[in-house]
């Protein structure tokens, strides 16, 4: 499914290497967590995969079902089944949330050569999915993310994910800025999308999100590389001892 | 050269330019109003680029003896307002077309042609024709409006006595590539009356239009216009409005294309609790200059005014905004708002803005803002990451940018019609 090999990335405008050889293989239906201290390259990994400008891939590759992601425009990557839940969802004044969702769904269908959903079909699906995420009619009518609370923004990301039905979902610090109840609601939304085929890459600082979204694998990222991989117990180790021990271990190795 | 010498030179040039140009004939009162207007023009002198008020918009093609030729532009788009039930009045190159127009009678409204009114010995228009234009010459001179009052060949005079639901729609057609049209409309709304006035079409190669609107106490006037799409047409328009107590004035203009457009709106809020909203969107591509010049005077208490102007510019298009709110002494509790924004779709286009507030009352709220920017890259990437193509994302963000101005249109069916036209404009420029 998603395969990242020896990925090296630098900032386009600066001579600053951020990723220094990331390897990651995500099989269908699996949940991978990536943890690591600030500045380790976690968010950069997600942005580069989604196709944000400002980065330069200097070495390595990333493929989705064998297709080279770096050969595709951001919208093509989305249509191919990649979804990034933003750490900071963007506010778009003047564009209604419903219009945004419908445009996104139909654009992807168009790119895949499928028929567009009619207004009625779309409305039925969005109402149903919004309900389970406790997103009310008002939030659907308002401009995209404008005036939304932190929790509402993140729930709105999950709603988009639910509507777009991607193959691989990358969640970039979806737990940041959320209180426990909001985090549970988001986690429930994510878990509802686990169907044995869809995979997830959950980027987080803290173990607490992983109590709700149970990972199959945990990777620790530091200084642009994945320095250690393991099962869910690795996240607990981080929670108990912090990153210091792991980083020290790496240095002596 | 001193200021006085410059002024004299302008007067001399204007006298030469207008020498021997006969005023249209009419009733004695009309002739004297036209002569007074001509004296105003000769005294002020026609504008030049040296004038402060015209420093960003060169008026030379608007003041020249002959108009510059303008090719006609046709496409398959449905004309604006064609699905709205309305009373149509058609002018072709500034000449009334009786055959294409509807019967001018309607309930609660009395409509006639300006040419007829100015030939009638006793007519209500006598008290209004050129009156609001004259009042609007201070503190800023508007010589092209006085020129219009002197030489207007026709127009529509509308007296609204009741609430009229069917809009009156003035349609301008351009068929002659060198036409030079001068039209002048006068609208008088009695207390409590209501009217929606629509205007659309390119009118002429060069078009000078004035509209004077007298809105009595408690009356409402809604104005929506689409300025013609002919790429090479030139237009200078003035709206002069006087608002009575608790009255409402709303004017919205959409401009797509046109090599040169100068729209001046001059509003005086003279009765307490009146509201004036003036807004517009313009879409410029290539050789295009659009200038919105607005002057709103608050001369009564608790009045509200809003100016909302949005411009989308690309391929070297130019946008100008000069907007002023003047709050006179005693106009307490004034609520004034002014926003002018431009979205530049490339690095070649330009937007120049001069927002001004002048306030002589101490208990008022006035806010103004002006911005120039490109498409929001973060929003663009967000949309693309959801599968939306860059073109579609840009269109969506462009329409979102224009939304605040379009919201100024009260009637939903008319707003939808305007939106459809804007979408067509965006679609035509794809690929």
């Amino acid at each position: 499914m998603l395969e990242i090999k020896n990925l090296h990335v630098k900032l386009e405008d600066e001579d600053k290497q951020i990723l220094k050889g990331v390897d990651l293989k995500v099989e269908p239906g699996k949940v991978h967590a990536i943890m690591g201290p600030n500045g380790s390259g976690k968010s950069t990994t997600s942005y580069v995969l989604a196709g944000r400008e400002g980065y330069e891939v200097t070495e390595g590759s990333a493929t989705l079902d064998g297709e080279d992601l770096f050969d595709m425009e951001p919208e093509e990557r989305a249509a191919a089944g990649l979804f990034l839940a933003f750490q900071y969802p963007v506010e778009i004044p003047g564009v209604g949330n419903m219009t945004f969702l419908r445009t996104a769904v139909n654009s992807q269908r168009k790119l895949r050569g499928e028929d567009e959903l009619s207004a009625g079909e779309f409305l039925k699906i969005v109402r149903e999915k919004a309900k389970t995420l406790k997103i009310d009619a008002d939030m659907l009518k308002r401009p995209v993310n404008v005036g939304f609370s932190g929790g509402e923004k993140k729930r709105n990301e999950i709603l988009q994910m639910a509507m777009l039905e991607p193959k691989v979902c990358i969640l970039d610090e979806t737990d940041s800025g959320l209180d426990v109840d909001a985090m549970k609601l988001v986690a429930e939304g994510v878990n509802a999308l686990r169907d044995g085929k869809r995979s997830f890459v959950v980027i987080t600082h803290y173990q607490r999100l992983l109590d709700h979204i149970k990972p199959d694998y945990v990777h620790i990222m530091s200084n642009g590389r994945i320095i250690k991989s393991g099962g869910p117990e690795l996240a607990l180790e981080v929670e108990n001892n912090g990153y210091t021990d792991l980083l020290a271990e790496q240095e002596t190795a | 050269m001193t200021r006085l010498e410059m002024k004299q030179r302008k007067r001399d040039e204007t006298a030469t330019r207008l020498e021997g140009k006969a005023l249209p004939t009419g009733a004695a009162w009309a002739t004297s109003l036209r002569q007074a207007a001509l004296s105003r023009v000769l005294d002020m002198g026609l504008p030049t680029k040296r004038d402060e008020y015209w420093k960003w918009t060169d008026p030379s093609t608007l003041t020249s003896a002959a108009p510059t030729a303008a090719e006609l532009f046709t496409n398959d788009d449905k004309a604006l307002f064609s699905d709205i039930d309305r009373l149509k009045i058609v002018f072709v190159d500034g000449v009334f077309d009786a055959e294409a127009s509807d019967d001018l009678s309607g309930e609660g409204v009395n409509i006639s042609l300006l040419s007829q009114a100015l030939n009638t010995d006793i007519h209500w228009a006598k008290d209004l024709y050129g009156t609001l234009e004259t009042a609007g010459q201070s503190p800023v001179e508007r010589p092209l409006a006085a020129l219009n009052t002197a030489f207007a060949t026709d127009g529509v005079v509308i007296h609204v006595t009741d609430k009229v639901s069917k809009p009156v729609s003035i349609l301008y057609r351009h068929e002659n590539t060198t036409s030079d049209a001068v039209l002048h409309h006068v609208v008088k709304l009695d207390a409590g009356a209501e009217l929606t006035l629509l205007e659309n079409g390119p009118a002429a190669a060069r078009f000078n239009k004035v509209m004077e609107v007298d809105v009595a106490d408690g009356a409402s006037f809604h104005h929506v216009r689409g300025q013609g799409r002919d790429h090479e047409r030139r237009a200078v328009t003035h709206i002069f409005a006087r608002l009575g107590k608790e009255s409402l004035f709303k004017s919205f203009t959409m401009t797509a294309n046109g090599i040169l457009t100068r729209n001046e709106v001059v509003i005086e809020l003279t009765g307490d609790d009146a509201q004036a909203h003036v807004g517009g969107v313009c879409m410029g591509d290539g050789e295009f200059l659009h200038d919105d010049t607005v002057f709103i005077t608050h001369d009564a208490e608790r009045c509200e005014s809003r100016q909302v102007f949005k411009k989308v510019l690309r391929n070297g298009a130019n946008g100008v905004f000069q907007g002023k709110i003047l709050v006179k002494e005693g106009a307490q509790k004034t609520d004034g708002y002014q926003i002018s924004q431009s979205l530049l779709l490339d690095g070649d286009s330009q937007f120049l803005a001069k927002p001004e507030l002048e306030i002589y009352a101490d208990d008022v709220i006035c806010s103004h803002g002006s911005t120039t920017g490109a498409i929001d890259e973060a929003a663009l990437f967000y949309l693309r990451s959801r599968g939306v193509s860059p073109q579609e994302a840009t269109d969506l963000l462009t329409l979102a940018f224009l939304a605040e101005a379009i919201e100024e249109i009260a009637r939903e069916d008319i707003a939808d019609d305007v939106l459809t036209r804007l979408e067509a404009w965006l679609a035509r420029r794809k690929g």
Side-chain angles (χ1 to χ4, degrees), chain A residues 50-52 73-75 78 83-84 86 89-90 92-95 99-100 103-104 107-108 110-111 144-145 157 160 164, chain B residues 376-393 395-404 407:
Chain A
R52 191 160 112 164
E73 296 295 335
E75 59 275 14
F83 182 90
L84 169 64
F86 281 53
V90 180
I92 315 183
V95 177
T99 307
F100 171 71
T103 307
S107 293
Q108 291 204 15
K110 218 157 56 187
L111 278 171
V144 181
N145 294 324
E157 292 293 289
Q160 291 164 40
L164 295 169
Chain B
D376 178 357
E377 288 296 330
L380 187 64
F381 174 64
Y382 192 55
L383 280 158
R384 292 183 71 185
S385 78
R386 297 308 181 240
V388 183
S389 73
Q391 184 64 63
E392 199 170 351
D395 287 0
L396 201 60
L397 295 172
T398 303
L399 290 172
F401 165 77
L402 298 174
E404 186 190 4
E407 276 165 20

Side-chain angles (χ1 to χ4, degrees), chain B residues 101-123:
Chain B
S101 302
D102 291 330
D103 178 22
L104 299 189
S105 59
E107 286 222 353
V109 60
N110 192 314
I111 306 169
S112 55
L113 293 174
L114 181 85
S115 51
Q116 292 163 357
L118 297 192
N119 268 299
T120 310
D121 283 335
I122 298 168
H123 197 282

Side-chain angles (χ1 to χ4, degrees), chain A residues 228-240:
Chain A
K228 191 165 186 180
S229 298
E233 73 286 348
L234 192 53
L236 286 170
E237 197 184 320
V238 169
E239 183 73 3
N240 294 332

Side-chain angles (χ1 to χ4, degrees), chain B residues 271-275 298 300-304 330-335:
Chain B
D272 294 340
D273 303 291
Q275 285 181 54
H298 283 259
E301 291 189 14
R302 296 178 305 277
C303 289
E304 179 201 285
Q332 300 296 9
K333 307 283 181 193
T334 285
D335 183 356

Side-chain angles (χ1 to χ4, degrees), chain B residues 144-159:
Chain B
L144 286 167
L147 183 76
N148 178 298
T149 302
F151 292 102
T153 53
D154 212 342
V156 183
V157 294
I158 305 174
H159 183 192

Side-chain angles (χ1 to χ4, degrees), chain B residues 275-296:
Chain B
Q275 285 181 54
H277 291 206
V278 45
V281 300
C282 91
M283 326 276 285
D285 191 346
E287 208 180 337
F288 172 94
L289 188 147
H290 183 94
D291 175 338
D292 287 299
T293 291
V294 182
F295 199 114
I296 296 182

Side-chain angles (χ1 to χ4, degrees), chain B residues 83-210:
Chain B
D83 292 335
I84 310 280
D85 181 31
R86 61 204 166 129
L87 191 153
K88 285 198 297 269
I89 305 171
V90 181
F91 288 90
V92 181
D93 293 306
V95 179
F96 176 64
D97 183 339
E99 210 146 288
S101 302
D102 291 330
D103 178 22
L104 299 189
S105 59
E107 286 222 353
V109 60
N110 192 314
I111 306 169
S112 55
L113 293 174
L114 181 85
S115 51
Q116 292 163 357
L118 297 192
N119 268 299
T120 310
D121 283 335
I122 298 168
H123 197 282
W124 60 264
K126 182 183 170 186
D127 294 331
L128 270 180
Y129 187 72
T131 305
L132 301 185
E133 174 258 296
T134 308
Q137 296 292 355
S138 168
V140 186
E141 293 179 347
R142 304 171 201 280
L144 286 167
L147 183 76
N148 178 298
T149 302
F151 292 102
T153 53
D154 212 342
V156 183
V157 294
I158 305 174
H159 183 192
V160 193
T161 54
D162 205 345
K163 290 180 167 46
V164 179
S165 58
K166 187 169 169 172
V168 170
S169 169
I170 306 176
L171 254 133
Y172 305 107
R173 291 202 185 119
H174 174 204
E175 290 179 2
N176 179 334
T177 54
T178 55
S179 55
D180 192 14
V182 185
L183 295 179
H184 192 123
H185 308 313
V186 181
V187 185
K188 177 181 161 70
L189 291 110
D190 287 350
E194 262 181 47
L195 181 76
T196 297
L197 181 73
L198 307 175
E199 288 183 283
N200 66 304
R206 180 169 70 181
F207 189 32
N208 179 337
K209 192 202 68 186
V210 165

